[in-house]
Amino acid sequence: MLGVCVVLVMLSRFLSSAISLIAFTPLLWLLESSMNRKTSLVYWFSGSILIITLSSIFALDSVVTALIYGVGLTATLSLYLLTSKFSKNRLGIFTILFFWIAFDYLILKVLPNASAAFLSGFFDGSKAMGWSRTTGNLGITAWIIISNLLFYYVLLWKDAIFSKNIRWLSLIYTLILIALPLLAGLYFVPDLAPITLAEMTSVYTHYSSSDISYTENGEWLGRISARVSIMVVVFALIKSKTKSSDS
């Protein structure tokens, strides 16, 4: 599965950005398998760092920065193991969405030039992403993550594709949901220019953009995701302390 993910990520970079909408589903499978002890934690950590670093290294000028991003994001996504173990996480693996966006927002604040590694880079400047004027650039990243989460649920959750138990109706719904933002960008807001990585980086380094609204609001999805992530982790820690006290 690790090899499949590496191949898909490479194809996303060099063949078609559309592949990124499904390229990271094996990574989610690795994380879930690690939680269920089907694979070791070492395999998850090393595999995730490899995949994320490879995905980033072609967008960044520095191998070190790509490795830092890979290690940091892997550690952040691993919080899912903590929250799932100690609390009844009703969001399930969809918690990954908030953790990933929150980490990218932190990177944007601390190391803005590393934002070139963000998933949104796969569709950077695409006319179909005009709706990012409302969601911010991280809205594109969120769309890609949600797409991967949905494909994971349809194809890999409970090893569906291996047991030939693919949820075909769910697959149709997934394709429709993924296509909606593309159609909205192409046909409903075709005149809107997307928030590019360069514009986002400029706002968080020079605090300037031709779009006054974006300059004022910034990446609001990142702020919300950071708050949600903190609440989820704090709740899990409280639950772990409670369980320790009861035992």
Side-chain angles (χ1 to χ4, degrees):
M1 192 62 73
L2 178 60
V4 172
C5 194
V6 170
V7 170
L8 289 174
V9 167
M10 293 298 98
L11 290 176
S12 299
R13 286 295 181 191
F14 298 108
L15 184 61
S16 173
S17 58
I19 299 175
S20 66
L21 298 174
I22 196 173
F24 296 90
T25 52
L27 182 65
L28 300 174
W29 182 87
L30 283 176
L31 179 58
E32 193 78 2
S33 296
S34 177
M35 187 185 72
N36 296 326
R37 298 183 179 180
K38 293 181 180 179
T39 56
S40 67
L41 283 173
V42 174
Y43 187 63
W44 149 249
F45 276 108
S46 58
S48 177
I49 291 171
L50 172 64
I51 292 167
I52 296 171
T53 302
L54 279 177
S55 174
S56 308
I57 203 168
F58 297 102
L60 297 168
D61 295 329
S62 170
V63 175
V64 175
T65 304
L67 184 59
I68 291 173
Y69 183 78
V71 172
L73 183 53
T74 296
T76 303
L77 296 183
S78 298
L79 291 173
Y80 169 67
L81 302 175
L82 172 71
T83 58
S84 297
K85 180 179 180 181
F86 294 114
S87 64
K88 293 182 179 180
N89 189 347
R90 295 185 179 182
L91 290 173
I93 200 167
F94 279 84
T95 311
I96 292 297
L97 171 64
F98 296 102
F99 288 158
W100 197 315
I101 297 296
F103 177 76
D104 277 0
Y105 184 66
L106 175 64
I107 287 294
L108 185 60
K109 299 284 286 185
V110 176
L111 197 63
N113 289 329
S115 63
F118 292 0
L119 293 183
S120 57
F122 285 110
F123 291 87
D124 195 37
S126 171
K127 293 181 179 180
M129 300 293 110
W131 44 265
S132 62
R133 282 288 152 194
T134 301
T135 65
N137 185 272
L138 288 178
I140 303 174
T141 294
W143 171 60
I144 296 174
I145 296 171
I146 291 171
S147 298
N148 278 273
L149 286 167
L150 290 174
F151 275 122
Y152 164 77
Y153 173 75
V154 172
L155 301 175
L156 296 178
W157 187 58
K158 293 185 178 180
D159 297 333
I161 197 170
F162 303 115
S163 59
K164 298 180 181 179
N165 190 30
I166 298 175
R167 303 162 185 83
W168 293 106
L169 185 59
S170 296
L171 179 58
I172 294 173
Y173 289 150
T174 294
L175 293 173
I176 293 173
L177 287 172
I178 292 171
L180 285 177
L182 289 172
L183 295 174
L186 290 172
Y187 297 105
F188 291 96
V189 286
D191 298 327
L192 285 181
I195 299 292
T196 63
L197 287 171
E199 183 175 356
M200 177 179 64
T201 303
S202 177
V203 167
Y204 282 86
T205 52
H206 305 105
Y207 305 101
S208 63
S209 169
S210 57
D211 187 334
I212 298 176
S213 177
Y214 179 62
T215 303
E216 293 176 347
N217 297 322
E219 294 295 329
W220 58 271
L221 271 179
R223 294 193 296 274
I224 291 176
S225 296
R227 291 163 187 164
V228 171
S229 298
I230 291 171
M231 288 189 291
V232 170
V233 172
V234 169
F235 180 71
L237 291 174
I238 292 173
K239 291 292 289 186
S240 68
K241 292 292 183 180
T242 304
K243 288 181 180 180
S244 299
S245 301
D246 292 340
S247 60

